[in-house]
Amino acid sequence: MLSPDQTYQLLRALTSPIVAVTSAQDGKRNGMILDSAVRASIVPTVPRVSVYVHKFNYSHDLIFKSGRFGLHLLHTQQFDVIHKLGFFSGRDRDKLAEVPHHLGATGVPVLDDCYAHFECRVANVMDTGSSTCFLGDVVAVGFGASKNGAPTGEVMTAAYFRAHMSPDWRKTYEALLQAAQRFAEQHSRNIRAVTWPGVSA
Ligand SMILES: Cc1cc2nc3c(=O)[nH]c(=O)nc-3n(C[C@H](O)[C@H](O)[C@H](O)COP(=O)(O)O)c2cc1C
């Protein structure tokens, strides 16, 4: 039998590329970082993604209330965006003030620089106790502003990020991860039956 740590390390192989997830609600704009995004449909005419967002994150309530989010594949030169959006909460600072962006067709912030971006409308949710899994219909797609209609560079994978992040950031990253793990450990068993209310706006 594997130890919980060995199991966790094996499951790390299932983490997604690093993505930036943006949201907007009642004049507030925010962005965060995820490595829990997956393609959630095999049907080209029904493109879908899913993301897991912890309930303590500011983004969680913005996405839940607005029913929309922007998902950005990043390229391997975007460590600064990961640090700005993934190491601090939007409750404490206007993170997107430091990241060039514009509003997309659905009103979510779209980062000017990225590998590719997807604007999504929430189709359904699943409560995990500590987080919500948002299933999103992809309703608009594009590339970074300077990419001339095609992605360039390499996608920032979770493995690439972990192998190349600045040593200065690693200690903070590990501390934030451990705090999130403690929260998840406390709340993961308390799963509620949540019915997605639909988009109100
Ligand atoms: C590499 C990396 C991966 C992350 N993956 C997730 C994730 O899958 N789900 C999640 O809820 N938070 C994840 N986070 C943490 C959030 O990005 C972080 O808590 C952020 O500060 C939330 O911002 P907010 O409070 O403004 O929403 C990740 C952070 C990093 C750096």
Side-chain angles (χ1 to χ4, degrees):
M1 184 66 186
L2 294 183
S3 72
D5 280 348
Q6 288 170 315
T7 305
Y8 174 73
Q9 292 305 330
L10 272 180
L11 288 174
R12 267 194 151 176
L14 288 172
T15 49
S16 76
I18 307 284
V19 303
V21 167
T22 53
S23 48
Q25 165 73 4
D26 283 343
K28 291 168 283 194
R29 299 177 188 181
N30 195 41
M32 67 173 293
I33 297 296
L34 287 177
D35 59 9
S36 56
V38 292
R39 175 174 62 91
S41 165
I42 59 165
V43 186
T45 52
V46 189
R48 282 180 169 164
V49 294
S50 64
V51 293
Y52 286 85
V53 182
H54 280 120
K55 292 176 182 175
F56 62 79
N57 284 324
Y58 185 49
S59 302
H60 180 274
D61 292 0
L62 296 186
I63 297 170
F64 208 103
K65 285 178 188 156
S66 67
R68 315 168 282 181
F69 60 93
L71 187 148
H72 305 74
L73 283 166
L74 301 176
H75 58 73
T76 50
Q77 304 302 308
Q78 293 190 282
F79 281 88
D80 59 328
V81 173
I82 298 173
H83 189 246
K84 283 173 183 161
L85 301 183
F87 282 53
F88 309 92
S89 178
R91 283 196 192 84
D92 307 322
R93 59 170 76 183
D94 179 2
K95 294 188 283 187
L96 285 182
E98 301 173 24
V99 183
H101 65 280
H102 57 281
L103 292 187
T106 62
V108 296
V110 172
L111 305 190
D112 292 349
D113 189 19
C114 62
Y115 183 88
H117 56 84
F118 307 89
E119 290 180 62
C120 305
R121 287 198 190 280
V122 176
N124 210 345
V125 298
M126 178 181 72
D127 185 65
T128 81
S130 56
S131 64
T132 297
C133 175
F134 293 97
L135 175 68
D137 281 321
V138 175
V139 295
V141 189
F143 304 107
S146 61
K147 300 298 189 298
N148 289 330
T152 55
E154 300 293 326
V155 168
M156 176 78 84
T157 64
Y160 188 92
F161 170 70
R162 286 199 288 264
H164 296 92
M165 98 174 89
S166 149
D168 296 346
W169 298 352
R170 191 171 295 278
K171 214 171 159 188
T172 310
Y173 171 71
E174 297 291 347
L176 290 170
L177 178 59
Q178 282 172 18
Q181 286 171 324
R182 282 194 297 275
F183 174 89
E185 192 167 32
Q186 282 169 14
H187 295 89
S188 288
R189 307 281 173 210
N190 185 21
I191 295 174
R192 296 176 300 135
V194 177
T195 303
W196 176 240
V199 183
S200 53

